[in-house]
Amino acid sequence: MTTPLLDTRTLDRETARALPPGPRLPMMVQTVMFARHRAWYLPAVRRRYGDVATIRIVPRGRVCVVLSDPVHIRELFAQPITTAHTGEGNVVLRPIMGDNSLLLLDEDAHLRMRKQLMPAFHGHALRGYRELIARLAVAEVESWPANQPFRVHDRMRALTLEIILQVVFGMTDGDRLDRLRPLLDRVVSVDPVIMLGGFYPRLLKYPPWRHYVGAQREADATLYDEIAARRVSPDLAGRTDVLSRLLQNGEWSDVELRDQLVTLLLAGHETTATSLAWAFHDLARMPDVMRKAQDGDDEYLEAVTKESLRRHPVIYQVSRRLAEATSVGGYELPRGTTVMAGIGLVHSDPAHYPEPDEFRPERFLGDNPAAPWIPFGGGVRRCLGAGFSLLESTEILRATLTRHDLRAPNPTPEPPKPRNVTLTPAHGCTLTASRRS
């Protein structure tokens, strides 16, 4: 049963007075500020209203309580699965990922789906992906132009898409791959405006939403062809890609498989590509740090990845919808409240990370005291692909930095720019690469 949103239709005056404080700007103004400038707007809200604040955004003035204190965020992540619904908090993703996406399910349905997915992303399975990731990464960085500016984010998106297609989808058919690459790129390059269809399904009948749905249907047709072929593949038992592992270890309908594959595509392609672009953005502007990373040490390369995810949160916040009234952050929040854990707010807090604007991978080395680091969320809803993402990033960093020196033609840092649910370098992380001697 869907939990009704707490919004202007369901919020009474007494409840409104008991909510945490927040800006009184018109709902559409707050929506635009949140959608387009969240990395500026949410810190400004925190400075003005404190660690627990209320904003109101689409649809219908939805009540969103934003948390920025790690203690309060842990309270949220520790809520029972019957109390804090992540799937309902991610409803904006429904037109892209589908009804069966792991990110859109709650309670028993989520636990059942997660249990079937877990074997493909743990232990032995992860180690088995390393060689293919490394080979694809080397092929990509060997093709980079020498001493000519290019947009690294574009190259990372192409590389992580290829990794998803081969490691996750297990696709090797050349014609089918050639058809699917541009279609999937259109599917994951969704504008925040398109995502409004998650709240207003009637929009999907009109352009530009209708055009997006058309591209999605073309991509789906190719994915369903691949799923059908894989089900009867004579070598299914010997394959190690994620799709084949899912078919070997679970009971799946074609629609369920499609929704999980698209979820893994969006969650594991765009986010990893963006975090890598930010890592290269900072390394190119800090030659001393880049030289340390060029030694290819696993621990340091992983620390580079973690510091990039801290300094440039790709996903700035994650949401839960309260299925029942509960206490979070010192407030009794009513049923239907959307509660946002401010990942970017925690990672930029000098109380946890001194001089937070500095890029320092050493924060994540050795015996340094653990600070709150939550780019993959937390609790039972922590990102299933966290280990895969760190492995992938480490191998791509190694392939790149052992072969190239990077330089930023413009030393001025690039500001973040919203792209679907992520925050990317505004100019695509424009760099030059020169081969190391």
Side-chain angles (χ1 to χ4, degrees):
M1 181 177 177
T2 302
T3 306
L5 270 176
L6 186 67
D7 56 28
T8 52
R9 299 179 310 170
T10 56
L11 180 65
D12 59 72
R13 290 186 178 181
E14 182 178 351
T15 303
R17 284 194 294 268
L19 287 171
R24 297 188 178 184
L25 295 168
M27 181 264 291
M28 286 308 300
V29 172
Q30 294 196 54
T31 298
V32 171
M33 296 300 291
F34 175 77
R36 295 291 184 184
H37 308 286
R38 72 196 72 147
W40 173 86
Y41 182 56
L42 292 184
V45 169
R46 182 190 188 185
R47 287 192 297 270
R48 175 66 178 83
Y49 298 101
D51 289 338
V52 186
T54 303
I55 62 173
R56 303 190 189 196
I57 57 179
V58 296
R60 303 180 302 271
R62 174 172 52 132
V63 173
C64 298
V65 172
V66 182
L67 307 177
S68 53
D69 186 321
V71 173
H72 300 155
I73 291 173
R74 281 194 291 270
E75 288 179 10
L76 177 66
F77 288 163
Q79 292 295 323
I81 58 173
T82 54
T83 299
H85 283 179
T86 302
E88 291 182 338
N90 290 333
V91 67
V92 70
L93 300 174
R94 191 177 302 280
I96 309 166
M97 295 184 176
D99 292 338
N100 303 286
S101 166
L102 186 68
L103 295 181
L104 287 154
L105 297 176
D106 286 304
E107 301 192 24
D108 291 343
H110 169 262
L111 292 177
R112 178 183 69 84
M113 197 70 74
R114 187 179 179 95
K115 185 177 180 179
Q116 293 188 83
L117 283 162
M118 281 181 68
F121 290 97
H122 282 77
H124 177 72
L126 279 181
R127 291 189 292 274
Y129 305 140
R130 185 186 296 272
E131 184 178 346
L132 178 55
I133 292 171
R135 177 160 51 81
L136 292 172
V138 169
E140 165 59 33
V141 302
E142 290 280 0
S143 72
W144 286 3
N147 302 310
Q148 297 178 28
F150 68 105
R151 292 165 60 96
V152 173
H153 189 224
D154 292 344
R155 300 314 314 155
M156 289 298 100
R157 293 184 68 250
L159 173 56
T160 56
L161 175 59
E162 198 65 28
I163 289 171
I164 290 289
L165 289 173
Q166 295 199 37
V167 176
V168 176
F169 291 20
M171 296 185 68
T172 56
D173 182 293
D175 291 341
R176 193 171 288 160
L177 277 171
D178 290 341
R179 289 198 307 273
L180 197 56
R181 283 189 192 99
L183 289 170
L184 289 179
D185 188 62
R186 289 172 64 187
V187 169
V188 300
S189 300
V190 57
D191 186 272
V193 172
I194 297 295
M195 297 173 73
L196 288 175
F199 294 122
Y200 305 104
R202 292 182 181 178
L203 291 175
L204 301 179
K205 300 177 182 179
Y206 306 100
W209 296 273
R210 188 176 68 231
H211 299 154
Y212 178 82
V213 170
Q216 191 178 56
R217 285 175 178 163
E218 287 186 65
D220 286 351
T222 305
L223 287 177
Y224 284 129
D225 285 347
E226 185 67 26
I227 291 168
R230 193 70 54 82
R231 285 189 184 277
V232 298
S233 175
D235 65 344
L236 177 64
R239 297 181 64 120
T240 58
D241 58 87
V242 173
L243 172 57
S244 297
R245 288 178 187 272
L246 296 182
L247 286 169
Q248 293 167 37
N249 297 310
E251 296 294 327
W252 301 85
S253 70
D254 285 358
V255 175
E256 286 177 328
L257 281 170
R258 176 267 174 209
D259 290 355
Q260 301 317 320
L261 291 175
V262 173
T263 298
L264 293 172
L265 172 69
L266 186 65
H269 155 55
E270 191 75 23
T271 53
T272 302
T274 301
S275 70
L276 282 162
W278 280 121
F280 291 130
H281 169 279
D282 286 347
L283 289 169
R285 289 166 171 81
M286 301 188 69
D288 291 344
V289 178
M290 183 172 64
R291 280 191 287 272
K292 292 179 184 178
Q294 285 173 326
D295 290 339
D297 175 74
D298 272 10
E299 185 183 13
Y300 196 82
L301 291 175
E302 185 170 303
V304 168
T305 300
K306 289 180 175 179
E307 176 68 345
S308 176
L309 286 166
R310 181 204 67 80
R311 187 164 183 255
H312 304 283
V314 176
I315 306 294
Y316 202 86
Q317 78 293 320
V318 291
S319 299
R320 306 283 192 269
R321 190 187 300 180
L322 298 183
E324 55 188 67
T326 190
S327 178
V328 178
Y331 288 86
E332 188 68 22
L333 300 179
R335 180 172 184 253
T337 305
T338 300
V339 186
M340 293 180 173
I343 295 171
L345 296 171
V346 172
H347 289 178
S348 61
D349 190 337
H352 311 304
Y353 294 98
E355 298 181 285
D357 293 336
E358 296 294 321
F359 184 76
R360 296 179 185 169
E362 288 74 15
R363 300 180 203 268
F364 295 96
L365 291 178
D367 298 326
N368 284 346
W373 184 75
I374 48 173
F376 298 108
V380 296
R381 299 300 297 240
R382 187 174 188 269
C383 176
L384 193 63
F388 182 85
S389 177
L390 291 173
L391 168 68
E392 182 182 13
S393 297
T394 297
E395 291 303 320
I396 293 172
L397 285 169
R398 188 193 334 273
T400 304
L401 296 172
T402 55
R403 289 167 176 78
H404 295 292
D405 290 319
L406 304 176
R407 187 176 64 84
N410 182 356
T412 303
E414 297 184 23
K417 172 186 175 183
R419 178 186 174 91
N420 52 60
V421 296
T422 65
L423 292 173
T424 69
H427 308 299
C429 183
T430 300
L431 301 178
T432 61
S434 57
R435 289 302 298 259
R436 300 185 70 194
S437 55

